[in-house]
Amino acid sequence: MNGQAREPGPGTVVVVAGASSGIGRAVAAAFAARGARLVLTARSTDVLGQVAARCAGAHPRAEAVAVTADVTDFAATEHVARTAVDRFGRIDVWVNAAGVGVLGRLDRLPPADVRRMWETNVLGAFHGARVALPVMRRQGGGILIDVSSVLGGAVVAPYMGAYAASKAALVTLDEALRQELRLSGDTGVAVCTVLPTGVDTPFFRHAANHTGRRLRSLPAVATPQRVARAVVRTAARPRRRVHVGPGSRLLPWAHALAPETVRSLLRRRTERVYLDAPGTLPLTRGVLYEPSAETASVTGGRHAGARTAVRRIAGCTAALASAAAVRSVARHLPSRELPSPHHRRS
């Protein structure tokens, strides 16, 4: 992209890691709808092939190549980058959206599960940067986009500590990358961190759950498509950090202003609202060690689209009610005689 912001469209070469499910799958579809040339990677071979076929048919100019790979394997990630360059000649955008979760008390989590999660969420993103940035530097431009989270990037909740720490690590890695690219004069290469709030993906269904507690409900969530649109906008106009979703800016601001109040609120709501009673769910390993396969999907069934519509209707209703109240008050205020424009004080 030679450092110039432009709307991603036909001819733009985009690599998406984690493209078989959730945010990564939505990102792939969003770029495909604009005619991008895609290299999609994930562990689930069959599902990935289906996603690639849909992406290739989404636009007359769209192309999509599926490359099965585990991002924890550096050699496999190198193969993904070589495929992009061999097939399309360049890499304009690389999106690190692969991620897994581990839920549970930090002092009771199996170290092997935490290590596996960190290898995917952090080392996987590092591998993506390690293979993408040299290509972008040689071609004089490109955009690396890491999907982090407000959880970890700004605030933390109990039972999510290991996951939040991995997402906080992405924020730190990206900041260091920006510093180093400036020092080397590679100003045409942008590194962007996307920070969503809760997103309606299969994350909790796929996460390793060591709490023994079933998920009862979630806070306000965004759709994966909303995050995908933000990623596409970021590719057009790169920014250091991009917040997405309900409260994504308000929550970090509130935490900075009243940290203990926000921490207390997160503790209480997680313990009493979001999780069911202990013993309601057996311990699970999710997709830590196995591909998501047939459980892969864009959404997690939390009806984020409907929730968003309700929030918007409620907001519009409140705005209309406020406007009506202002008009009512204005009608009952005493009117004032305005001087004629031709009147002059002597």
Side-chain angles (χ1 to χ4, degrees):
M1 291 189 174
N2 299 322
Q4 299 299 314
R6 63 180 177 87
E7 190 69 22
T12 304
V13 179
V14 182
V15 178
V16 182
S20 65
S21 192
I23 291 173
R25 187 161 168 175
V27 167
F31 278 110
R34 289 160 176 79
R37 297 183 291 178
L38 298 165
V39 176
L40 309 178
T41 186
R43 294 177 296 167
S44 301
T45 302
D46 292 342
V47 175
L48 191 65
Q50 295 166 13
V51 173
R54 292 192 190 101
C55 287
H59 188 282
R61 299 279 298 279
E63 298 179 57
V65 179
V67 183
T68 304
D70 187 332
V71 295
T72 66
D73 183 337
F74 180 66
T77 310
E78 276 189 308
H79 175 62
V80 174
R82 282 198 304 271
T83 300
V85 174
D86 291 345
R87 178 71 179 266
F88 301 121
R90 58 190 295 110
I91 299 173
D92 294 313
V93 183
W94 184 293
V95 182
N96 283 316
V100 292
V102 174
L103 312 180
R105 285 182 55 125
L106 284 170
D107 59 351
R108 297 177 185 171
L109 288 176
D113 285 6
V114 175
R115 183 182 302 111
R116 174 65 181 175
M117 182 194 64
W118 270 67
E119 287 174 347
T120 301
N121 296 2
V122 183
L123 196 60
F126 167 75
H127 288 163
R130 180 64 181 80
V131 300
L133 291 180
V135 176
M136 293 176 180
R137 293 178 67 184
R138 287 195 300 270
Q139 67 196 22
I143 302 169
L144 175 73
I145 301 175
D146 283 334
V147 179
S148 178
S149 174
V150 168
L151 185 66
V155 297
V156 179
Y159 313 122
M160 298 280 287
Y163 173 78
S166 73
K167 291 301 184 179
L170 290 183
V171 175
T172 301
L173 284 174
D174 286 352
E175 189 59 39
L177 284 173
R178 293 184 198 103
Q179 299 271 15
E180 291 166 0
L181 288 167
R182 291 294 297 272
L183 285 173
S184 61
D186 295 296
T187 56
V189 180
V191 177
C192 310
T193 313
V194 175
L195 297 154
T197 49
V199 185
D200 181 18
T201 69
F203 173 82
F204 284 99
R205 189 166 69 239
H206 288 169
N209 190 335
H210 293 277
T211 66
R213 304 170 68 175
R214 184 176 58 244
L215 183 70
R216 179 186 297 165
S217 67
L218 281 176
V221 292
T223 64
Q225 292 82 2
R226 180 174 178 179
V227 182
R229 290 193 295 270
V231 170
V232 172
R233 288 195 301 270
T234 301
R237 291 171 291 280
R239 288 177 290 162
R240 290 175 59 253
R241 296 182 187 176
V242 180
H243 291 80
V244 191
S248 60
R249 292 186 180 277
L250 178 61
L251 191 57
W253 177 83
H255 184 264
L257 190 67
E260 190 48 47
T261 299
V262 173
R263 292 184 195 121
S264 177
L265 176 64
L266 287 171
R267 283 196 301 270
R268 291 199 306 271
R269 291 193 68 82
T270 301
E271 182 68 18
R272 302 175 187 175
V273 178
Y274 301 145
L275 293 175
D276 217 328
T280 53
L281 188 75
L283 301 183
T284 66
R285 290 288 179 85
V287 299
L288 271 183
Y289 302 97
E290 299 292 336
S292 54
E294 66 275 2
T295 66
S297 63
V298 176
T299 65
R302 295 286 167 178
H303 310 296
R307 292 186 182 191
T308 298
V310 169
R311 286 195 300 269
R312 287 176 177 170
I313 291 170
C316 290
T317 302
L320 290 172
S322 298
V326 170
R327 287 196 298 270
S328 176
V329 170
R331 282 198 300 270
H332 291 85
L333 289 176
S335 60
R336 292 185 177 181
E337 283 286 332
L338 294 178
S340 166
H342 302 295
H343 178 73
R344 295 282 189 274
R345 289 187 177 182
S346 57

